[in-house]
Structures are given as C-alpha cells and as structure tokens.
C-alpha cells in the first residue's frame, strides 16, 4: 500500500517560485528575493497526491448514497446477528456469554459444529456459484481497482454474520465493511465513474459499514484514510467523514447509540501515564506475534473440497474448548467487558490470552471469513489487564485504564493505524480527557516497536500472493 501524508505528493503549486527553483541570477545563482513577486501560497493540505480524485457535485451525491446504503446494510446484518444468536443460544437480551453459559456444554459443541458445517458448505457452494474472484476489501482496493463481486461479497457477508452469531471466534465487522464496499463498488459501476473515484467510494463504503455497527463515525473515517487508502488529505477526509456520519445516523434507527464498552470513570492518573510507556513496547511485540500468526493461518487456508471439512473440524474443536472456557465463543466483546471491570482472575487472563488468539487464527485458517477487529482488542485488553495486576503493586491506578491502554496499543500496531486506534478507543468507550495522553503514549511505543520489526498490517498479510 502506498503511504501518504498531508500535503504530500502533489505538484509544485503553492511553493515560492517556479518548479525549476525560481529566479536565478547570472550563472544560475539565486537572484534577489524581491526580483519578482512570489506566487501565492496555497493551503498545503489541499495539495493532494496526484492520484487523489477531485470532488465533484456528482461524487458527493454518490458519497451520500453510499453512506445510506452502508448504514442500511450494516443495520440489517446486525439484526441478522442478533436473530442468529437468539436462535442458537436463546440470546435475546444481555450479553452472549450469559446465554452461552446457560445453554450448557453440549449445546455449545453442537452449535459450533453446525456453524462449521454451514461455513464449509456455504463458502464452497458460494465459490462454485459465483465463479472466480475474491471478496476481501483490502484486495479490491489495492489490487482490483476498487471492484468487488456483488454476489460473492454479499453472500460472504451473510455467512460471516451467521457463523459469528453462532459463536465463531471472529469479528463481526468484516461483514458490514464488505457489504458497504461492495454496494459502493456497484454504485460506482452504475454511475460510470473512473478507477480513482471508484476506489475512494469503495473505501468510504467499507469505513461507513464499520462506523455504523460500532457507532464510531470519526474512527470509521480515520480507518478509511489510514488503513484503506493510506493517505491523509483534506480532499479524502471530507467524503470519508460524510459517508461514515451518514451511515452511523441511519443505523441509529435500529442499533444502539451508546458506547460499545461501558467504562468505569477513570480519573487523570500519573500512574497510567507512566504505565503507558511500559505497555506500549510490550503491546507492539504482542501485535507482531499476532500479525505473524494471522499470516500463517491465512496462507494455509484450504481450497476446493478441503473447505468442506476443515471448518467443521476446527469449529467443533472450538466448541469443545468452550466447555471449560465459554468466553472463547463470539468476537470477544464479553472478554473485554470482563477485563475492563477487573472481573477475571490472573489464571483466567493467562489462559484466555493464550487461547483466544489461537482459536481465532484457527477459525480464519479453516477457511471461514470474519473480522479481526474485536479479537485484536481482546488481546490488547488482556495483556494490559495482566500487566496492570503487577503494576498496581508498585503504583495504584484504575484497573479499567490498564485494559484500555493495552487494547489501543495492540490495535494500533496490528492495523498500522495509530490515529485511528486512539480515536476508536475513545469512541468505543466514550472517554476523553483522562486517557487521551496515556493512549497516545502507549500507541506510539507500540507502533515504534512494530515498525522496527518491519511488521505489516493485519490487512496486508491477507492479500493473495501476486
């Protein structure tokens, strides 16, 4: 993915003098500054990279339509997720973990086995029905000119939502991201816009799908820019913000409007600020290991008839592990809630910190499609909670702060998106002043370590080999 920066990569407009260096005296030496008037200085962050598309009134109509479609699609998929959980475990209110515990060990194994059979058969049939072509947002944006096959993408989003609702250890965000991007891609084809505008619209659709299901409009916009487009430019920020805000507002019709994680009040703390300097590098190392695990799992995904067998075997194994550890089922939101409330004993934290990444990578490696956003937050929250248990012996601080700092740092390093990670954690928890500085310090340390080890993002390691 090509990196970018604000104001980078543009032409020579807005600089003093012409492109060849301005006035020069005899012999090529610079002449006097007042030899002729300097060109007016253009606003630097408006000088976008040369491949950033211009924003026409027609494009703004498409951006608004993308936001509406992504909001509707995300809302529909989350309703499907809730209906699936209710059918599988009787989960109609409260958290999934309570429903799973009340359902009993035998039901956990049977539901996960059924999810594996459905996943294998569903994606095998979908591949045969839709023909060649992938349904990964990152592949479409970086390799396929922003094009996504509609039937394959919506079918994948549907299956992914159902198996996560049944307890698969994968994130729920992959489905609305994919649906939003696919709808934007189809909208682009209908409108007949060029490749640059199609990529922008598909990225906005993906970010909007993510934003609406987590109620994080600003975080979704930053994901669009930092992760999917790799460019921070005002010309791109405006459509990303618009699409994510519209999609989030549309989703309020049926989805909750509060924070995803209920965080106890965390006051300003010198202890947490210093802890952030310690947890950042540790989180960076954890993120490196996590990304490499996902790379291995993705490279060994089965194809052909192997897809009919592998998910059933892996998911049944996850169901068996869920007999003693029901927290393993689902995307991991309940684990984060427990870590934020300091409701996990140290042995449980250690076991979940080992098993949750393994079952998630195994589920992905079996051929199933799902997200890694919440599972990544789980790893960071557990790491922060574990380190915090030792830290409070030296310097007391609120337990919830340790988990939030670990989650943000691992998320930033795994996604290679520091700004998005900070804003996402603030939006997910609705915390502001007390944790902003420690969050930035922890994220900075994690990113420095991951970059020093030349670690790619969770999204780029899932790209197919060229």
């Amino acid at each position: 993915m090509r990196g970018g920066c604000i104001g980078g990569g543009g032409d020579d407009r807005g600089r003093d003098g012409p492109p060849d260096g301005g006035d020069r005296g005899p012999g090529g030496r610079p002449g006097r500054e007042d030899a002729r008037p300097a060109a007016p200085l253009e606003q630097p962050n408006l000088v976008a990279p040369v491949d950033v598309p211009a924003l026409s009134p027609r494009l703004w109509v498409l951006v608004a339509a993308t936001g509406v479609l992504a909001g509707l699609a995300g809302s529909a998929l989350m309703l499907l997720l809730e209906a699936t959980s209710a059918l599988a475990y009787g989960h109609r209110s409260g958290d999934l973990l309570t429903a799973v515990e009340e359902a009993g060990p035998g039901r956990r194994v049977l539901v996960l086995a059924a999810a594996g059979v459905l996943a294998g058969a569903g994606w095998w049939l979908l591949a045969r029905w839709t023909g060649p072509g992938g349904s990964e947002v990152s592949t479409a944006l970086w390799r396929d000119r922003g094009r996504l096959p509609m039937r394959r993408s919506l079918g994948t989003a549907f299956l992914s939502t159902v198996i996560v609702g049944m307890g698969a250890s994968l994130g729920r965000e992959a489905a609305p991201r994919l649906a939003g991007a696919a709808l934007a891609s189809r909208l682009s084809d209908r409108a007949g816009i060029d490749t640059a505008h199609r990529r922008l619209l598909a990225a906005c659709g993906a970010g909007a799908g993510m934003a609406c299901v987590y109620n994080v409009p600003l975080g979704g916009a930053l994901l669009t820019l930092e992760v999917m487009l790799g460019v921070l430019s005002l010309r791109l920020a405006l459509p990303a913000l618009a699409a994510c805000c519209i999609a989030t507002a549309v989703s309020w019709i049926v989805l909750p409007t509060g924070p995803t994680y209920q965080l106890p009040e965390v006051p300003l703390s010198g202890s947490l600020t210093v802890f952030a300097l310690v947890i950042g590098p540790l989180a960076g190392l954890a993120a490196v290991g996590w990304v490499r695990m996902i790379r291995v799992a993705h490279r060994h995904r089965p194809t052909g008839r192997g897809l009919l067998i592998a998910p059933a075997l892996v998911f049944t194994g996850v169901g068996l592990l869920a007999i003693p550890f029901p927290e393993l089922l689902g995307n991991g939101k309940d684990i984060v809630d427990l870590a934020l409330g300091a409701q996990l004993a140290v042995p449980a934290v250690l076991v979940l910190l080992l098993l949750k990444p393994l079952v998630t990578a195994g589920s992905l490696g079996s051929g199933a499609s799902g997200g890694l956003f919440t599972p990544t937050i789980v790893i960071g929250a557990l790491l922060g909670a574990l380190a915090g248990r030792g830290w409070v012996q030296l310097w007391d601080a609120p337990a919830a702060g340790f988990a939030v700092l670990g989650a943000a740092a691992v998320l930033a390093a795994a996604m290679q998106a520091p700004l998005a990670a900070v804003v996402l954690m603030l939006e997910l928890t609705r915390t502001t002043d007390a944790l902003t500085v420690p969050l930035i310090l922890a994220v900075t340390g994690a990113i420095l370590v991951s970059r020093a080890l030349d670690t790619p993002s969770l999204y780029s390691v899932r790209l197919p080999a060229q």
Side-chain angles (χ1 to χ4, degrees):
M1 181 178 73
R2 178 184 59 79
C5 59
I6 297 178
D11 56 25
D12 288 306
R13 296 174 299 163
R15 300 174 184 169
D16 290 332
D20 63 0
D23 280 346
R24 293 187 177 272
R29 293 189 305 272
R32 294 181 303 167
E33 291 182 1
D34 58 353
R36 68 179 182 180
L41 185 63
E42 212 174 292
Q43 185 172 324
N45 60 335
L46 290 179
V47 183
V50 293
D51 60 343
V52 172
L55 304 180
S56 64
R58 183 187 183 202
L59 182 66
W60 280 113
V61 173
L62 295 175
V63 167
T66 294
V68 172
L69 290 174
L72 293 173
S75 300
L77 289 168
M78 291 306 100
L79 292 176
L80 174 63
L81 182 75
E82 293 174 4
T84 304
S85 295
L87 181 62
Y89 300 106
H91 175 220
R92 292 179 174 81
S93 62
D95 55 64
L96 177 64
L97 178 58
T98 300
V100 168
E101 289 174 334
E102 292 176 351
R107 190 167 179 176
R108 296 171 209 167
V109 178
L110 288 175
V111 171
L112 263 293
V117 172
L118 176 63
W123 273 299
W124 184 76
L125 290 171
L126 189 63
R128 291 176 61 87
W129 178 45
T130 59
S135 55
E136 287 281 351
V137 174
S138 54
T139 303
L141 293 177
W142 303 338
R143 298 270 182 88
D144 298 335
R145 299 184 297 173
R147 281 200 167 92
L148 281 155
M150 179 62 71
R151 289 187 300 174
R152 172 72 70 89
S153 298
L154 295 184
T156 296
F158 176 86
L159 285 172
S160 176
T161 301
V162 169
I163 67 167
V164 172
M166 296 175 75
S169 182
L170 292 166
R172 63 176 182 166
E173 86 287 348
R177 282 179 66 246
L178 180 57
L183 290 168
S185 176
R186 175 59 60 89
L187 194 63
S188 301
D189 289 339
R190 292 288 179 86
I193 61 178
D194 59 29
T195 298
H197 288 90
R198 187 191 306 110
R199 286 185 67 249
L200 171 58
L201 208 62
C204 288
M210 169 84 173
C212 73
V213 298
Y214 286 102
N215 197 24
V216 288
L218 184 54
L222 282 172
L223 271 176
T224 301
L225 299 169
E226 251 189 322
V227 175
M228 300 176 213
L229 294 174
V231 179
L232 293 177
S233 166
L234 184 61
R235 192 186 291 174
L236 295 179
L238 293 176
L241 284 167
C244 290
C245 286
I246 291 170
T248 303
V250 168
S251 72
W252 288 341
I253 299 171
V254 294
L255 299 184
T257 59
T260 299
Y261 301 111
Q262 298 292 336
L263 189 68
E265 184 177 354
V266 180
L268 289 170
S269 169
S271 175
L272 285 177
T273 303
V274 178
F275 175 78
L277 299 174
V278 176
I279 195 62
L282 294 176
L285 290 174
V288 169
W290 172 231
V291 171
R292 291 179 179 176
M293 185 183 297
I294 293 301
R295 171 189 280 163
V296 172
H298 192 73
R299 287 180 176 176
H300 290 84
R301 287 164 66 90
T303 57
R305 296 188 181 275
L307 189 57
L308 291 168
I309 302 171
L313 294 177
V314 172
F315 280 41
T316 302
V318 173
L320 291 172
L321 285 173
I323 294 176
F325 303 108
E327 299 90 348
L328 293 174
L329 299 189
N331 64 355
K333 178 185 180 298
D334 296 324
I335 298 178
V336 178
D337 287 333
L338 293 172
L340 291 173
Q343 300 176 50
L344 291 170
V346 170
V349 173
L350 286 169
V351 171
L352 292 175
L353 187 56
L354 172 66
L355 290 182
K356 186 62 177 178
L358 288 176
V359 298
T360 301
S363 299
L364 184 71
S366 73
S369 178
L372 297 173
F373 177 70
T374 301
T376 302
I377 291 177
V378 170
I379 295 170
L382 290 172
L383 178 66
L386 182 63
R389 295 294 179 90
W391 185 264
V392 294
Q393 306 304 316
L394 304 173
W395 194 352
D396 194 31
F402 298 126
V404 170
L405 294 181
V410 172
L411 185 66
M415 296 193 309
Q416 293 294 294
L419 296 178
V422 170
V423 171
L424 280 166
M425 289 311 301
L426 294 177
E427 284 190 308
L428 288 169
T429 59
R430 296 293 191 271
T431 56
T432 51
D433 295 343
L435 285 176
T436 303
V437 170
L439 276 173
I440 294 172
L441 291 174
V443 163
T444 301
I447 287 288
L448 288 174
V449 168
S450 66
R451 294 311 305 149
L453 297 175
D454 197 25
T455 303
S457 74
L458 281 172
Y459 301 99
S460 59
V461 297
R462 296 168 70 179
L463 287 171
Q466 285 185 312

